[in-house]
């Protein structure tokens, strides 16, 4: 079965640079979620989109923004990167607000 | 205090034994509960979800929910070394899209 696709899988950036993470949901899933997981931490919810509209917002820094496009893929844009932004970033998708399935994640390292 | 609490472990059981993982939650508005398995550096993988009081069985896994006690558990029968991972308990309210995770319990199944 098709799964959530995330790209890139690994990303290395310098402080104050920008990064864009992409997420392609499971076919026919209309809801996308972004989570951040720091080392040794549990996943923290950042933001979600349902039918291209923001549906919920968590602890997402103002330096981050996200959107969902007409083909339901989503992008997380991160600016003015800080060392503390180094983490695994997971995208999950669901059909409506049903069970969430996670992608493989993007490992972001900020130097 | 976290909204979802789990014992960090490690919980060590011999191969073939029953592993019992527990989770408590503080918000009575939580309606849905999920168990995810996460191997180190990998994404959370859905094991089971439960919405109603009582037991729900799927193969070697049984989820139990007691809303009066605000308690969720996961039993793994005939534990295998490949079950060794961190098990994340998550809750979700009907009014929200986001999952709230516990810190996870590390399970070690000894051959």
């Amino acid at each position: 079965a098709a799964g959530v696709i995330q790209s890139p899988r690994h990303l290395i950036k310098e402080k104050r640079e920008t990064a864009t993470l992409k997420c392609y949901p499971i076919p026919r899933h209309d809801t996308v979620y972004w989570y951040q997981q720091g080392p040794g931490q549990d996943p923290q919810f950042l933001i979600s989109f349902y039918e291209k509209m923001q549906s919920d917002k968590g602890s997402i820094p103002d330096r981050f923004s996200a959107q969902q496009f007409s083909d339901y893929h989503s992008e997380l844009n991160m600016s003015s990167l800080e060392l503390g932004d180094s983490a695994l970033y997971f995208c999950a998708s669901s059909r409506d607000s049903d069970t969430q399935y996670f992608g493989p994640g993007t490992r972001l390292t900020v130097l | 205090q976290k909204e979802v609490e789990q014992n960090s472990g490690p919980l060590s059981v011999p191969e073939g034994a029953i592993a019992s993982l527990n989770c408590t939650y503080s918000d009575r508005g939580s309606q849905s509960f999920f168990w995810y398995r996460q191997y180190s550096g990998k994404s959370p993988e859905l094991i089971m979800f439960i919405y109603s009081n009582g037991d729900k069985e799927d193969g070697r896994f049984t989820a139990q929910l007691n809303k009066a006690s605000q308690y969720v558990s996961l039993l793994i029968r005939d534990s295998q070394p490949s079950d060794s991972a961190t098990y994340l308990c998550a809750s979700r309210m009907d009014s929200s899209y986001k999952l709230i995770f516990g810190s996870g319990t590390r399970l070690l199944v000894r051959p």
Side-chain angles (χ1 to χ4, degrees):
Chain A
V4 177
I5 296 172
Q6 290 188 246
S7 67
R9 296 292 308 278
H10 301 273
L11 191 58
I12 299 175
K13 290 287 185 178
E14 300 278 343
K15 279 196 309 184
R16 292 181 288 278
E17 286 191 321
T18 62
T20 297
L21 279 54
K22 297 184 178 182
C23 169
Y24 298 86
I26 293 171
R28 290 182 296 282
H29 281 195
D30 48 24
T31 309
V32 170
Y33 314 78
W34 287 97
Y35 291 85
Q36 177 193 57
Q37 187 173 28
Q41 306 293 315
D42 51 278
Q44 294 292 313
F45 173 77
L46 294 177
I47 196 166
S48 64
F49 293 87
Y50 167 68
E51 285 290 346
K52 292 151 280 183
M53 299 289 289
Q54 181 181 307
S55 54
D56 210 342
K57 191 172 182 179
S59 49
I60 183 169
D62 291 341
R63 300 177 288 108
F64 295 6
S65 65
Q67 58 180 322
Q68 185 180 32
F69 295 86
S70 58
D71 64 351
Y72 295 101
H73 94 273
S74 178
E75 295 183 4
L76 177 66
N77 298 292
M78 311 160 70
S79 64
S80 302
L81 287 169
E82 302 173 356
L83 296 178
D85 296 328
S86 295
L88 272 168
Y89 289 84
F90 292 110
C91 172
S93 75
S94 71
R95 191 176 179 87
D96 197 359
S97 59
D98 205 346
T99 309
Q100 298 179 29
Y101 295 90
F102 282 72
T106 294
R107 182 176 294 280
L108 172 66
T109 302
V110 182
L111 302 175
Chain B
Q1 182 188 4
K2 283 178 69 71
E3 288 187 52
V4 178
E5 295 272 4
Q6 294 181 258
N7 188 319
S8 61
L11 172 66
S12 181
V13 300
E15 184 174 356
I18 295 175
S20 177
L21 304 163
N22 305 313
C23 168
T24 58
Y25 60 96
S26 59
D27 193 332
R28 288 194 175 273
S30 300
Q31 296 293 327
S32 308
F33 302 89
F34 304 82
W35 283 100
Y36 286 85
R37 176 174 64 193
Q38 187 174 31
Y39 296 107
S40 181
K42 303 297 184 182
S43 62
E45 172 193 6
L46 180 69
I47 299 295
M48 291 195 69
F49 59 88
I50 186 166
Y51 305 143
S52 304
N53 275 327
D55 295 359
K56 180 181 178 183
E57 187 174 319
D58 183 2
R60 296 188 296 115
F61 300 96
T62 298
Q64 299 172 318
L65 173 60
N66 184 324
K67 290 188 176 181
S69 300
Q70 296 176 246
Y71 178 90
V72 192
S73 67
L74 179 71
L75 299 177
I76 306 175
R77 289 179 297 281
D78 188 23
S79 296
Q80 301 297 309
S82 58
D83 293 327
S84 298
T86 295
Y87 288 79
L88 296 165
C89 173
S91 70
R92 194 189 74 205
M93 294 192 291
D94 275 355
S95 59
S96 174
Y97 285 74
K98 68 181 180 183
L99 292 177
I100 299 172
F101 285 90
S103 298
T105 297
R106 192 157 66 92
L107 172 66
L108 177 62
V109 181
R110 309 186 306 270

